[in-house]
């Protein structure tokens, strides 16, 4: 697997987390790979063979070649049918709402063709320009020109959403929402409403996804730590709370995650 990341243009760095590319030659022995929630929305372009996304143990749909993957509330399995050659834009939680008018709750746990989110002609032109680009740099330049142009029409992210997301990111999702809102119930309702539209999921769901990412980083890069240490460092109430949240989002326990061949791709993103 050849996985690379690239930094965004300075005018996009508060919105775009990074770009990534992935190349994987086909191997008939390849196993399904589990993708876990990360609190981000991604726009992905596939230049290789089709990729299956499983909706059950045996049933699947094929990913569109140019798509936006909405926020995830649970993990899912994918399996390429051939060679993988992909490029993606990983947006911060507040990032993608700057480019579309569609409420982001409509994208949750879905893959939407970019032609359904942008004007068909501009979506087609963008996809063709990226396909015809000679290398990754030209592909990223093409994407950035598109995003910077769309940003001129940008929608305003509400302050309550931005400040909440900023705090959750700084504290790795450990700050309780009532603490952020100082128990103000009216603000809670307002926050939930804005979050559904501009992030796609609730503040609690986002905080769980962000905390999961911090946990996976510890698990995969500090292997000497025990699960109790990891639970403590990420401020779970106890190990049972940690295991329950982990299994809810990943579908397996932390012990089952480590060394699992279905997690090879997910593990790659934390190296």
């Amino acid at each position: 697997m050849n996985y690379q990341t690239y930094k965004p243009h300075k005018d996009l760095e508060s919105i775009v987390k990074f770009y990534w590319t992935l190349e994987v030659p086909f191997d008939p022995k390849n196993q399904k790979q589990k993708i876990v929630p990360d609190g981000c929305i991604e726009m992905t372009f596939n230049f290789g063979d089709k990729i299956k996304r499983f909706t059950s143990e045996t049933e699947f749909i094929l990913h569109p070649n140019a798509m936006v993957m909405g926020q995830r509330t649970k993990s899912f399995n994918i399996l390429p049918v051939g060679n993988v050659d992909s490029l993606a834009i990983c947006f911060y939680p507040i990032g993608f709402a700057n480019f579309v008018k569609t409420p982001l709750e409509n994208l949750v746990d879905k893959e939407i063709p970019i032609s359904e989110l942008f004007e068909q002609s501009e979506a087609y032109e963008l996809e063709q320009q990226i396909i015809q680009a000679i290398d990754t740099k030209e592909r990223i330049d093409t994407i950035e020109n598109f995003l910077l142009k769309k940003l001129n029409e940008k929608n305003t992210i509400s302050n309550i959403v931005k400040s909440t997301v900023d705090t959750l990111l700084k504290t790795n999702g450990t700050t309780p929402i009532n603490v952020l809102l100082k128990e103000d119930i009216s603000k809670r309702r307002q926050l939930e409403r804005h979050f559904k539209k501009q992030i796609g999921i609730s503040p609690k769901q986002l905080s769980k996804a962000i905390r999961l990412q911090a946990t996976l980083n510890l698990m995969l890069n500090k292997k000497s730590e025990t699960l109790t240490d990891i639970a403590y460092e990420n401020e779970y109430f106890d190990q049972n709370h940690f295991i329950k949240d982990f299994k809810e989002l990943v579908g397996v326990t932390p012990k089952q995650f480590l060394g699992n061949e279905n997690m090879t791709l997910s593990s790659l993103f934390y190296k």
Side-chain angles (χ1 to χ4, degrees):
M1 292 187 187
N2 180 15
Y3 172 68
Q4 304 289 334
T5 60
Y6 304 86
K7 292 181 179 178
H9 185 281
K10 62 181 178 60
D11 291 340
L12 291 168
E13 62 187 7
S14 65
I15 292 170
V16 173
K17 193 174 182 181
F18 56 85
Y19 306 101
W20 59 259
T21 57
L22 179 66
E23 296 175 349
V24 187
F26 176 67
D27 182 340
K29 297 176 187 173
N30 282 343
Q31 301 289 316
K32 292 178 186 175
Q33 293 297 306
K34 190 178 285 289
I35 305 299
V36 302
D38 62 1
C40 299
I41 287 178
E42 291 189 334
M43 186 188 296
T44 306
F45 296 89
N46 177 31
F47 312 108
D49 295 305
K50 287 287 187 180
I51 296 173
K52 297 177 181 177
R53 197 261 285 177
F54 285 83
T55 55
S56 70
E57 192 59 36
T58 55
E59 296 174 318
F60 62 86
I61 59 173
L62 293 174
H63 274 171
N65 285 335
M67 68 177 190
V68 170
M69 188 179 290
Q71 288 281 4
R72 294 286 162 176
T73 61
K74 57 197 171 190
S75 61
F76 61 98
N77 290 311
I78 62 170
L79 181 65
V81 301
N83 296 317
V84 174
D85 182 6
S86 297
L87 165 69
I89 307 102
C90 180
F91 293 92
Y92 280 111
I94 60 167
F96 192 63
N98 289 281
F99 302 100
V100 291
K101 293 182 175 138
T102 306
L104 296 192
E105 61 188 310
N106 296 348
L107 278 58
V108 174
D109 291 323
K110 294 177 184 174
E111 300 85 20
I112 309 291
I114 63 170
S115 58
E116 293 183 19
L117 294 171
F118 303 105
E119 288 184 12
Q120 283 198 354
S121 58
E122 65 178 3
Y124 176 79
E125 184 180 357
L126 174 64
E127 187 175 0
Q128 291 307 305
Q129 286 177 343
I130 290 174
I131 289 170
Q132 292 161 17
I134 58 171
D135 56 19
T136 299
K137 182 183 182 306
E138 188 174 325
R139 284 174 173 171
I140 290 175
D141 286 345
T142 300
I143 289 165
E144 294 200 319
N145 287 336
F146 174 81
L147 293 178
L148 287 166
K149 180 182 173 186
K150 297 296 290 181
L151 199 57
N152 294 333
E153 312 158 15
K154 106 176 179 183
N155 301 315
T156 305
I157 304 296
S158 62
N159 289 332
I160 191 171
V161 169
K162 188 174 186 317
S163 62
T164 301
V165 172
D166 285 347
T167 302
L168 290 176
L169 289 172
K170 281 176 190 168
T171 61
N172 287 331
T174 60
T175 306
I177 304 303
N178 346 339
V179 171
L180 290 174
L181 300 178
K182 301 180 174 61
E183 305 290 350
D184 188 329
I185 299 301
S186 62
K187 276 191 180 176
R188 177 99 187 206
R189 291 197 198 95
Q190 181 190 15
L191 182 65
E192 295 272 354
R193 191 171 66 252
H194 285 307
F195 247 71
K196 287 286 178 73
K197 183 179 180 184
Q198 299 179 339
I199 306 293
I201 52 179
S202 71
K204 186 175 181 180
Q205 287 172 315
L206 180 63
S207 67
K208 281 187 176 183
I210 291 171
R211 191 172 352 187
L212 173 65
Q213 293 303 303
T215 300
L216 291 175
N217 264 311
L218 283 177
M219 289 173 63
L220 294 167
N221 296 313
K222 296 184 180 180
K223 294 179 181 176
S224 61
E225 293 199 40
T226 67
L227 294 181
T228 304
D229 291 335
I230 291 170
Y232 177 77
E233 189 157 343
N234 283 287
E235 298 184 30
Y236 289 96
F237 298 129
D238 53 33
Q239 194 170 331
N240 286 338
H241 177 213
F242 164 46
I243 293 170
K244 178 178 172 291
D245 273 14
F246 192 96
K247 192 170 182 181
E248 178 188 329
L249 290 176
V250 182
V252 295
T253 66
K255 282 185 179 176
Q256 290 169 329
F257 176 86
L258 292 170
N260 189 320
E261 62 184 5
N262 300 117
M263 307 296 177
T264 305
L265 182 58
S266 282
S267 299
L268 189 69
F269 297 142
Y270 301 94
K271 300 301 182 186

mmCIF file of all heavy atoms in Angstrom, residues 224-251:
data_model
loop_
_atom_site.group_PDB
_atom_site.id
_atom_site.type_symbol
_atom_site.label_atom_id
_atom_site.label_comp_id
_atom_site.label_asym_id
_atom_site.label_seq_id
_atom_site.Cartn_x
_atom_site.Cartn_y
_atom_site.Cartn_z
ATOM 1 N N SER A 224 2.971 -0.053 23.896
ATOM 2 C CA SER A 224 3.323 -0.544 25.229
ATOM 3 C C SER A 224 2.253 -0.189 26.267
ATOM 4 O O SER A 224 2.215 -0.753 27.351
ATOM 5 C CB SER A 224 4.670 0.045 25.676
ATOM 6 O OG SER A 224 4.574 1.456 25.726
ATOM 7 N N GLU A 225 1.376 0.771 25.933
ATOM 8 C CA GLU A 225 0.355 1.189 26.900
ATOM 9 C C GLU A 225 -0.743 0.138 27.017
ATOM 10 O O GLU A 225 -1.127 -0.498 26.033
ATOM 11 C CB GLU A 225 -0.263 2.522 26.466
ATOM 12 C CG GLU A 225 0.726 3.675 26.525
ATOM 13 C CD GLU A 225 0.014 5.008 26.555
ATOM 14 O OE1 GLU A 225 -1.020 5.097 27.238
ATOM 15 O OE2 GLU A 225 0.500 5.941 25.920
ATOM 16 N N THR A 226 -1.272 -0.040 28.200
ATOM 17 C CA THR A 226 -2.389 -0.961 28.402
ATOM 18 C C THR A 226 -3.685 -0.269 28.007
ATOM 19 O O THR A 226 -3.751 0.967 27.909
ATOM 20 C CB THR A 226 -2.485 -1.401 29.874
ATOM 21 O OG1 THR A 226 -2.847 -0.254 30.654
ATOM 22 C CG2 THR A 226 -1.176 -1.992 30.366
ATOM 23 N N LEU A 227 -4.748 -1.051 27.814
ATOM 24 C CA LEU A 227 -6.054 -0.479 27.490
ATOM 25 C C LEU A 227 -6.562 0.386 28.635
ATOM 26 O O LEU A 227 -7.239 1.389 28.407
ATOM 27 C CB LEU A 227 -7.053 -1.592 27.176
ATOM 28 C CG LEU A 227 -6.760 -2.400 25.908
ATOM 29 C CD1 LEU A 227 -7.839 -3.454 25.699
ATOM 30 C CD2 LEU A 227 -6.654 -1.500 24.688
ATOM 31 N N THR A 228 -6.205 0.029 29.870
ATOM 32 C CA THR A 228 -6.591 0.855 31.029
ATOM 33 C C THR A 228 -5.928 2.218 30.944
ATOM 34 O O THR A 228 -6.568 3.251 31.193
ATOM 35 C CB THR A 228 -6.188 0.153 32.349
ATOM 36 O OG1 THR A 228 -6.792 -1.135 32.372
ATOM 37 C CG2 THR A 228 -6.647 0.955 33.549
ATOM 38 N N ASP A 229 -4.634 2.244 30.586
ATOM 39 C CA ASP A 229 -3.911 3.515 30.426
ATOM 40 C C ASP A 229 -4.551 4.375 29.347
ATOM 41 O O ASP A 229 -4.713 5.586 29.508
ATOM 42 C CB ASP A 229 -2.438 3.263 30.062
ATOM 43 C CG ASP A 229 -1.642 2.651 31.198
ATOM 44 O OD1 ASP A 229 -2.039 2.852 32.357
ATOM 45 O OD2 ASP A 229 -0.638 1.976 30.921
ATOM 46 N N ILE A 230 -4.900 3.733 28.231
ATOM 47 C CA ILE A 230 -5.498 4.465 27.109
ATOM 48 C C ILE A 230 -6.866 5.027 27.502
ATOM 49 O O ILE A 230 -7.196 6.167 27.192
ATOM 50 C CB ILE A 230 -5.614 3.550 25.871
ATOM 51 C CG1 ILE A 230 -4.209 3.253 25.325
ATOM 52 C CG2 ILE A 230 -6.474 4.180 24.784
ATOM 53 C CD1 ILE A 230 -4.162 2.186 24.262
ATOM 54 N N ALA A 231 -7.656 4.230 28.215
ATOM 55 C CA ALA A 231 -8.971 4.694 28.683
ATOM 56 C C ALA A 231 -8.806 5.897 29.606
ATOM 57 O O ALA A 231 -9.544 6.887 29.508
ATOM 58 C CB ALA A 231 -9.696 3.566 29.412
ATOM 59 N N TYR A 232 -7.817 5.828 30.496
ATOM 60 C CA TYR A 232 -7.566 6.916 31.442
ATOM 61 C C TYR A 232 -7.100 8.174 30.698
ATOM 62 O O TYR A 232 -7.588 9.276 30.954
ATOM 63 C CB TYR A 232 -6.504 6.481 32.459
ATOM 64 C CG TYR A 232 -6.112 7.567 33.434
ATOM 65 C CD1 TYR A 232 -6.929 7.908 34.509
ATOM 66 C CD2 TYR A 232 -4.913 8.276 33.270
ATOM 67 C CE1 TYR A 232 -6.583 8.913 35.386
ATOM 68 C CE2 TYR A 232 -4.548 9.276 34.153
ATOM 69 C CZ TYR A 232 -5.388 9.596 35.207
ATOM 70 O OH TYR A 232 -5.038 10.594 36.069
ATOM 71 N N GLU A 233 -6.173 8.015 29.761
ATOM 72 C CA GLU A 233 -5.619 9.170 29.051
ATOM 73 C C GLU A 233 -6.677 9.885 28.227
ATOM 74 O O GLU A 233 -6.624 11.094 28.045
ATOM 75 C CB GLU A 233 -4.457 8.714 28.150
ATOM 76 C CG GLU A 233 -3.699 9.876 27.545
ATOM 77 C CD GLU A 233 -2.279 9.509 27.126
ATOM 78 O OE1 GLU A 233 -1.762 8.479 27.582
ATOM 79 O OE2 GLU A 233 -1.705 10.269 26.341
ATOM 80 N N ASN A 234 -7.656 9.143 27.711
ATOM 81 C CA ASN A 234 -8.722 9.755 26.913
ATOM 82 C C ASN A 234 -9.970 10.072 27.735
ATOM 83 O O ASN A 234 -11.035 10.337 27.181
ATOM 84 C CB ASN A 234 -9.059 8.854 25.725
ATOM 85 C CG ASN A 234 -8.016 8.959 24.624
ATOM 86 O OD1 ASN A 234 -7.939 9.948 23.917
ATOM 87 N ND2 ASN A 234 -7.193 7.936 24.509
ATOM 88 N N GLU A 235 -9.810 10.033 29.072
ATOM 89 C CA GLU A 235 -10.838 10.484 30.014
ATOM 90 C C GLU A 235 -12.168 9.744 29.906
ATOM 91 O O GLU A 235 -13.241 10.339 30.059
ATOM 92 C CB GLU A 235 -11.049 12.003 29.891
ATOM 93 C CG GLU A 235 -9.793 12.794 30.224
ATOM 94 C CD GLU A 235 -10.007 14.307 30.201
ATOM 95 O OE1 GLU A 235 -11.139 14.738 30.491
ATOM 96 O OE2 GLU A 235 -9.047 15.032 29.883
ATOM 97 N N TYR A 236 -12.105 8.439 29.598
ATOM 98 C CA TYR A 236 -13.307 7.615 29.725
ATOM 99 C C TYR A 236 -13.558 7.382 31.210
ATOM 100 O O TYR A 236 -12.622 7.384 32.016
ATOM 101 C CB TYR A 236 -13.116 6.274 29.005
ATOM 102 C CG TYR A 236 -13.098 6.388 27.497
ATOM 103 C CD1 TYR A 236 -11.902 6.473 26.792
ATOM 104 C CD2 TYR A 236 -14.291 6.419 26.768
ATOM 105 C CE1 TYR A 236 -11.884 6.580 25.406
ATOM 106 C CE2 TYR A 236 -14.283 6.530 25.379
ATOM 107 C CZ TYR A 236 -13.075 6.606 24.713
ATOM 108 O OH TYR A 236 -13.068 6.727 23.339
ATOM 109 N N PHE A 237 -14.825 7.139 31.580
ATOM 110 C CA PHE A 237 -15.139 6.933 32.995
ATOM 111 C C PHE A 237 -14.357 5.749 33.548
ATOM 112 O O PHE A 237 -13.834 5.773 34.651
ATOM 113 C CB PHE A 237 -16.643 6.676 33.189
ATOM 114 C CG PHE A 237 -17.500 7.841 32.762
ATOM 115 C CD1 PHE A 237 -18.565 7.661 31.902
ATOM 116 C CD2 PHE A 237 -17.236 9.131 33.227
ATOM 117 C CE1 PHE A 237 -19.353 8.729 31.491
ATOM 118 C CE2 PHE A 237 -18.020 10.208 32.832
ATOM 119 C CZ PHE A 237 -19.076 10.003 31.961
ATOM 120 N N ASP A 238 -14.317 4.678 32.752
ATOM 121 C CA ASP A 238 -13.590 3.482 33.156
ATOM 122 C C ASP A 238 -13.356 2.648 31.901
ATOM 123 O O ASP A 238 -13.747 3.036 30.796
ATOM 124 C CB ASP A 238 -14.358 2.672 34.216
ATOM 125 C CG ASP A 238 -15.791 2.354 33.791
ATOM 126 O OD1 ASP A 238 -16.017 2.167 32.569
ATOM 127 O OD2 ASP A 238 -16.676 2.309 34.653
ATOM 128 N N GLN A 239 -12.725 1.495 32.062
ATOM 129 C CA GLN A 239 -12.401 0.668 30.905
ATOM 130 C C GLN A 239 -13.662 0.147 30.203
ATOM 131 O O GLN A 239 -13.700 0.025 28.983
ATOM 132 C CB GLN A 239 -11.506 -0.502 31.314
ATOM 133 C CG GLN A 239 -10.880 -1.191 30.108
ATOM 134 C CD GLN A 239 -9.816 -2.190 30.493
ATOM 135 O OE1 GLN A 239 -9.168 -2.039 31.504
ATOM 136 N NE2 GLN A 239 -9.635 -3.214 29.673
ATOM 137 N N ASN A 240 -14.711 -0.151 30.976
ATOM 138 C CA ASN A 240 -15.962 -0.634 30.370
ATOM 139 C C ASN A 240 -16.590 0.420 29.459
ATOM 140 O O ASN A 240 -17.110 0.107 28.380
ATOM 141 C CB ASN A 240 -16.970 -1.037 31.452
ATOM 142 C CG ASN A 240 -16.591 -2.346 32.122
ATOM 143 O OD1 ASN A 240 -15.856 -3.143 31.541
ATOM 144 N ND2 ASN A 240 -17.079 -2.564 33.334
ATOM 145 N N HIS A 241 -16.536 1.687 29.903
ATOM 146 C CA HIS A 241 -17.049 2.800 29.093
ATOM 147 C C HIS A 241 -16.247 2.913 27.796
ATOM 148 O O HIS A 241 -16.806 3.083 26.700
ATOM 149 C CB HIS A 241 -16.952 4.100 29.907
ATOM 150 C CG HIS A 241 -17.376 5.324 29.161
ATOM 151 N ND1 HIS A 241 -16.803 6.557 29.358
ATOM 152 C CD2 HIS A 241 -18.311 5.514 28.193
ATOM 153 C CE1 HIS A 241 -17.371 7.436 28.543
ATOM 154 N NE2 HIS A 241 -18.282 6.828 27.843
ATOM 155 N N PHE A 242 -14.934 2.787 27.909
ATOM 156 C CA PHE A 242 -14.035 2.840 26.756
ATOM 157 C C PHE A 242 -14.377 1.718 25.764
ATOM 158 O O PHE A 242 -14.562 1.960 24.560
ATOM 159 C CB PHE A 242 -12.587 2.727 27.251
ATOM 160 C CG PHE A 242 -11.575 2.396 26.191
ATOM 161 C CD1 PHE A 242 -11.572 3.043 24.966
ATOM 162 C CD2 PHE A 242 -10.598 1.438 26.432
ATOM 163 C CE1 PHE A 242 -10.627 2.741 24.001
ATOM 164 C CE2 PHE A 242 -9.644 1.135 25.473
ATOM 165 C CZ PHE A 242 -9.672 1.781 24.254
ATOM 166 N N ILE A 243 -14.500 0.499 26.256
ATOM 167 C CA ILE A 243 -14.773 -0.648 25.381
ATOM 168 C C ILE A 243 -16.146 -0.511 24.717
ATOM 169 O O ILE A 243 -16.310 -0.791 23.522
ATOM 170 C CB ILE A 243 -14.679 -1.973 26.176
ATOM 171 C CG1 ILE A 243 -13.219 -2.212 26.606
ATOM 172 C CG2 ILE A 243 -15.201 -3.148 25.356
ATOM 173 C CD1 ILE A 243 -13.032 -3.349 27.584
ATOM 174 N N LYS A 244 -17.154 -0.040 25.481
ATOM 175 C CA LYS A 244 -18.515 0.130 24.938
ATOM 176 C C LYS A 244 -18.531 1.141 23.792
ATOM 177 O O LYS A 244 -19.089 0.892 22.722
ATOM 178 C CB LYS A 244 -19.450 0.593 26.058
ATOM 179 C CG LYS A 244 -20.894 0.851 25.618
ATOM 180 C CD LYS A 244 -21.751 1.253 26.809
ATOM 181 C CE LYS A 244 -23.138 1.706 26.375
ATOM 182 N NZ LYS A 244 -23.120 2.996 25.646
ATOM 183 N N ASP A 245 -17.914 2.330 24.002
ATOM 184 C CA ASP A 245 -17.873 3.354 22.956
ATOM 185 C C ASP A 245 -17.092 2.867 21.745
ATOM 186 O O ASP A 245 -17.468 3.121 20.589
ATOM 187 C CB ASP A 245 -17.237 4.645 23.500
ATOM 188 C CG ASP A 245 -18.263 5.542 24.174
ATOM 189 O OD1 ASP A 245 -19.377 5.059 24.446
ATOM 190 O OD2 ASP A 245 -17.948 6.718 24.441
ATOM 191 N N PHE A 246 -15.982 2.191 22.001
ATOM 192 C CA PHE A 246 -15.125 1.690 20.921
ATOM 193 C C PHE A 246 -15.900 0.704 20.053
ATOM 194 O O PHE A 246 -15.933 0.804 18.822
ATOM 195 C CB PHE A 246 -13.881 1.016 21.513
ATOM 196 C CG PHE A 246 -12.800 0.721 20.499
ATOM 197 C CD1 PHE A 246 -11.748 1.605 20.310
ATOM 198 C CD2 PHE A 246 -12.829 -0.451 19.745
ATOM 199 C CE1 PHE A 246 -10.749 1.335 19.374
ATOM 200 C CE2 PHE A 246 -11.844 -0.722 18.810
ATOM 201 C CZ PHE A 246 -10.802 0.164 18.634
ATOM 202 N N LYS A 247 -16.567 -0.241 20.702
ATOM 203 C CA LYS A 247 -17.307 -1.267 19.958
ATOM 204 C C LYS A 247 -18.490 -0.663 19.204
ATOM 205 O O LYS A 247 -18.823 -1.098 18.095
ATOM 206 C CB LYS A 247 -17.783 -2.364 20.916
ATOM 207 C CG LYS A 247 -18.292 -3.598 20.179
ATOM 208 C CD LYS A 247 -18.526 -4.763 21.119
ATOM 209 C CE LYS A 247 -18.989 -5.987 20.316
ATOM 210 N NZ LYS A 247 -19.251 -7.139 21.172
ATOM 211 N N GLU A 248 -19.115 0.350 19.780
ATOM 212 C CA GLU A 248 -20.249 1.014 19.123
ATOM 213 C C GLU A 248 -19.828 1.616 17.787
ATOM 214 O O GLU A 248 -20.554 1.540 16.798
ATOM 215 C CB GLU A 248 -20.799 2.114 20.039
ATOM 216 C CG GLU A 248 -21.945 2.905 19.443
ATOM 217 C CD GLU A 248 -22.328 4.115 20.290
ATOM 218 O OE1 GLU A 248 -22.171 4.048 21.523
ATOM 219 O OE2 GLU A 248 -22.763 5.120 19.716
ATOM 220 N N LEU A 249 -18.630 2.231 17.740
ATOM 221 C CA LEU A 249 -18.176 2.909 16.528
ATOM 222 C C LEU A 249 -17.401 2.000 15.583
ATOM 223 O O LEU A 249 -17.469 2.156 14.371
ATOM 224 C CB LEU A 249 -17.305 4.116 16.894
ATOM 225 C CG LEU A 249 -18.031 5.296 17.546
ATOM 226 C CD1 LEU A 249 -17.048 6.381 17.933
ATOM 227 C CD2 LEU A 249 -19.075 5.875 16.609
ATOM 228 N N VAL A 250 -16.625 1.077 16.144
ATOM 229 C CA VAL A 250 -15.736 0.245 15.314
ATOM 230 C C VAL A 250 -16.354 -1.112 14.992
ATOM 231 O O VAL A 250 -16.071 -1.708 13.961
ATOM 232 C CB VAL A 250 -14.362 0.077 16.003
ATOM 233 C CG1 VAL A 250 -13.403 -0.744 15.147
ATOM 234 C CG2 VAL A 250 -13.735 1.444 16.302
ATOM 235 N N GLY A 251 -17.220 -1.596 15.874
ATOM 236 C CA GLY A 251 -17.867 -2.878 15.629
ATOM 237 C C GLY A 251 -17.164 -4.060 16.261
ATOM 238 O O GLY A 251 -17.674 -5.181 16.234
#
